[in-house]
């Protein structure tokens, strides 16, 4: 599930960056797996941080960050649908 969601987010931001003229951009996420809830009950879930944009290699080999605009509700819904379809295919 973690790999599916991370790949979906990366693909989303790369596609968005490409549409705005930033080719070859890469983004990353940092995720912590929490196994228990506040009452020490079993409750496995993820806490993820994702950058809103991509890092792009410039012609002089330096890196620059291309920020993305906020996703629309429709884009978030489509991304969640994609994650759901792929995660149910795995299970």
């Amino acid at each position: 599930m973690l790999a599916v969601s991370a790949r979906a987010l990366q693909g989303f931001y790369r596609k968005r960056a490409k549409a705005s003229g930033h080719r070859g951009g890469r983004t990353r996420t940092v995720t912590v797996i929490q196994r228990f809830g506040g009452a020490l009950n079993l409750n496995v879930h993820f806490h993820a941080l994702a950058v809103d944009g991509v890092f792009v290699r410039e012609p002089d080999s330096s890196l620059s960050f291309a920020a993305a605009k906020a996703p629309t509700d429709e884009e978030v819904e489509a991304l969640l649908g994609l994650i759901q379809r792929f995660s149910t295919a795995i299970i």
Side-chain angles (χ1 to χ4, degrees):
M1 183 64 203
L2 177 57
V4 168
S5 60
R7 270 189 241 132
L9 279 171
Q10 291 171 10
F12 172 79
Y13 281 115
R14 287 187 78 179
K15 193 180 297 184
R16 180 175 267 203
K18 187 177 179 182
S20 65
H22 301 286
R23 298 201 178 276
R26 299 212 181 259
T27 190
R28 293 291 181 246
T29 60
V30 176
T31 305
V32 175
I33 302 171
Q34 184 171 339
R35 299 181 191 288
F36 296 97
L40 294 180
N41 55 322
L42 182 61
N43 182 14
V44 179
H45 60 282
F46 304 125
H47 293 269
L49 295 173
V51 294
D52 287 331
V54 295
F55 292 95
V56 180
R57 181 74 59 187
E58 298 294 338
D60 67 355
S61 295
S62 65
L63 284 177
S64 65
F65 182 72
K69 63 179 181 152
T72 64
D73 290 344
E74 292 79 18
E75 289 172 323
V76 171
E77 186 176 340
L79 185 60
L80 288 173
L82 178 70
I83 292 169
Q84 183 180 23
R85 279 192 304 278
F86 280 107
S87 62
T88 55
I90 292 171
I91 297 173

